[in-house]
Amino acid sequence: MGGPGSGPQGFGAGGFHLKPKRKRVATENAITKVNPSEPKRAMFHCHYCGKDISAVVRIKCAVCADCTLCVECFSVGVEPHPHEASHAYHVIDDLSFPLFTMDWGADEEILLLEAIEIYGLGNWTEVAEHVGTKTKLQCHQHYFDCYVNSETTPLPDMSKVLGPKYTKEEPDEEPKAKKVKAEDGEGDDDADGERTDTLASFARPGDERHWGNMPELTGYNVKRDEFDPEYDIEAELPLAEMEFRDTDTELDRKLKIRMLEIYNKRLKERIRRKEFIIDRGLLNVKRQQALERKRTPQERDIHGALRVFARFLDPNEYEIMLEGFMAESRIRNRIAELKEYRRNGIHTLSEGEVYDAEKRHRMAEIARIKAIEYPGRGGSRANRYLGRDGFVQAPAGDAAPKELQKLTGIAAGGGGSGALTSLGGTARKKAPLPLDLTHLPGVELLNKREKELCVANRLLPVHYLSIKEALMRASANGQVLKRSEVRHMFKVEPIKAVRVFELLLQHGWVKDPNETEG
């Protein structure tokens, strides 16, 4: 059925090594579905006269990949540039009959597979544009139904082939029926679930654990799933020149096998460390930096000392342990402050505030005198503040040391050496004062235990009542809450939410998870 060049030489000259192409038809919108009210779009046009030849016999040039002619134009020998009448050709029969489903023709099946080969699986917008008569939802659904989810995957079930004796049916009735059903309020859940799954499959592939990765800082390449450089980068060096020979003795073979076992252990350690970094979300540099900025200097020291235990605990357990140590540190600092108050004869918190203010003023004065006597040690920042306040550099003499000794003596007499230590370079963070609930809204709804909890944790009554209501409502609905779940249910410090939960457990207002498990 071929012309002068339809033999094997035609296929080799310009046939199979070229990507099959066709004249694309611009869709109404590459993202939205094809409008059913519009006339059916032609999939193939004559390259010369431009008429629709999708449902009739057509001639395809084997040399010019994008040249398709109707029978009439081919019979008179038209030559649209760069096509020539002497080129090899193929006769393409009408392939509009259904093949696997009644609404998909064989020509559309070919275009679907051709588009997936060109654009890749998952780029359904380009695939739908290539097919021309189907939306991306229809292309996605048909491919997964007939090819991926078939019993003979990745091939379709050839026992269900329809063939030319069937006539293709356009799916006009089904979308309308679904639309009417959706308007009646039926099947909304199924439609939403199907739409959610489909849209999820359109998304670009990616792992949530890789979000926020900055390769220039972490050195992690997501597509290659490896760090640059890897942990223990020299693990392969001992094996670089090793090989098994027929002349090896038994001792040599055992030694080489032992080296391989050591190498495998080093590889497992490398994989374990990589999985730890990815699973804990440490690739998200900005998030880790934000968490670090929220911590106080003392909390950063605690975190740095305890991070070695993170490999032995789950993330939630590690956070609980970290919060426990931080709470212990705050309590110890507060006890030290109260002891200092007691040593200096202070009996009320208001007197303690006055004492702290005076002590800060004395220490600032001492720092100013030191900057005057030793200007080089204070740095440019200290000199800038002194110049702003009108101070000038004092000459070397006994005046500055005497004033310094006098102020040091006053500070030592008022607060002792412990006061100077506590306000030095390693000053502790001052614990906040207890909350005054006298005139706060919602305080009249709290009992004595609840008020004590709000005062100790500086929790507003309205916030406490909101947490209490949410926990009691969840318990009334039959949900058994655990401490690990309560920690992250509310936008407050996890330790506060846990203490509210424990108070509700003591009163029996929520279900005890231990009794439920028993």
Side-chain angles (χ1 to χ4, degrees), residues 438-454:
T438 307
H439 303 291
L440 294 179
V443 67
E444 66 277 1
L445 302 176
L446 307 181
N447 58 29
K448 183 178 179 182
R449 292 282 302 279
E450 292 173 327
K451 291 180 181 178
E452 293 175 354
L453 176 66
C454 292

Side-chain angles (χ1 to χ4, degrees), residues 238-256:
L239 305 180
E241 304 295 334
M242 189 185 73
E243 60 181 13
F244 288 86
R245 299 185 179 90
D246 296 336
T247 57
D248 291 342
T249 63
E250 186 65 22
L251 183 60
D252 292 338
R253 291 181 61 84
K254 288 182 178 180
L255 179 61
K256 292 178 180 180

Side-chain angles (χ1 to χ4, degrees), residues 11 29 31 43 49-50 162 189 234 261 298 343 382 414 430 455 481:
F11 289 97
N29 190 329
I31 300 177
M43 291 185 295
C49 66
L162 300 178
D189 296 339
E234 299 179 354
E261 292 175 354
Q298 194 167 11
R343 285 196 304 268
K430 182 181 177 183
V455 169
L481 299 173

Side-chain angles (χ1 to χ4, degrees), residues 478-504:
Q479 184 178 359
V480 180
L481 299 173
K482 298 182 179 179
R483 289 173 176 80
S484 58
E485 299 173 351
V486 174
R487 290 166 49 81
H488 305 289
M489 286 180 61
F490 310 98
K491 294 182 178 180
V492 297
E493 294 183 15
I495 190 65
K496 295 182 179 180
V498 172
R499 287 173 180 171
V500 174
F501 178 68
E502 291 176 348
L503 179 63
L504 299 181

Side-chain angles (χ1 to χ4, degrees), residues 215-438:
E216 62 275 9
L217 297 179
T218 62
Y220 179 72
N221 190 314
V222 175
K223 295 184 178 180
R224 296 172 59 184
D225 190 26
E226 64 181 21
F227 286 91
D228 184 21
E230 288 279 8
Y231 170 75
D232 197 5
I233 192 63
E234 299 179 354
E236 289 80 6
L237 291 181
L239 305 180
E241 304 295 334
M242 189 185 73
E243 60 181 13
F244 288 86
R245 299 185 179 90
D246 296 336
T247 57
D248 291 342
T249 63
E250 186 65 22
L251 183 60
D252 292 338
R253 291 181 61 84
K254 288 182 178 180
L255 179 61
K256 292 178 180 180
I257 292 174
R258 181 56 183 164
M259 292 178 65
L260 290 176
E261 292 175 354
I262 296 173
Y263 172 68
N264 289 333
K265 282 187 176 181
R266 297 172 76 174
L267 285 185
K268 289 180 180 178
E269 179 64 16
R270 179 187 296 175
I271 294 172
R272 189 193 65 79
R273 288 173 178 262
K274 179 174 67 175
E275 291 177 350
F276 176 85
I277 294 174
I278 296 175
D279 293 340
R280 297 299 176 97
L282 301 181
L283 293 176
N284 196 337
V285 178
K286 291 186 177 179
R287 180 174 178 270
Q288 296 299 322
Q289 290 176 346
L291 292 175
E292 194 71 12
R293 285 193 296 268
K294 291 180 180 179
R295 299 189 179 106
T296 62
Q298 194 167 11
E299 290 176 348
R300 293 194 194 109
D301 295 339
I302 295 174
H303 183 261
L306 296 178
R307 66 177 59 184
V308 67
F309 298 102
R311 60 186 295 185
F312 305 109
L313 301 173
D314 294 334
N316 196 28
E317 294 177 349
Y318 176 71
E319 288 183 7
I320 293 173
M321 182 188 70
L322 194 62
E323 290 174 2
F325 276 99
M326 291 179 180
E328 179 189 2
S329 176
R330 289 192 292 268
I331 293 172
R332 289 181 179 274
N333 292 341
R334 184 57 177 168
I335 291 174
E337 290 181 359
L338 295 176
K339 286 183 177 180
E340 182 182 345
Y341 291 164
R342 186 174 182 180
R343 285 196 304 268
N344 291 278
I346 297 173
H347 301 288
T348 62
L349 295 177
S350 59
E351 294 177 355
E353 291 180 358
V354 175
Y355 169 77
D356 289 337
E358 293 179 353
K359 187 166 60 175
R360 284 194 296 270
H361 177 72
R362 289 195 300 270
M363 297 310 300
E365 193 70 17
I366 293 173
R368 184 181 67 84
I369 298 301
K370 285 183 178 179
I372 293 174
E373 183 179 4
Y374 307 105
R377 298 183 183 180
S380 60
R381 184 177 181 184
N383 294 333
R384 184 167 64 250
Y385 286 124
L386 291 172
R388 181 195 65 182
D389 295 337
F391 294 104
V392 295
Q393 182 176 349
D398 297 334
K402 288 180 180 179
E403 186 177 1
L404 179 62
Q405 292 173 5
K406 179 180 178 182
L407 290 172
T408 307
I410 295 173
S417 59
L420 294 176
T421 304
S422 62
L423 290 176
T426 58
R428 299 185 180 92
K429 182 181 178 181
K430 182 181 177 183
L433 297 176
L435 186 65
D436 185 10
L437 304 178
T438 307

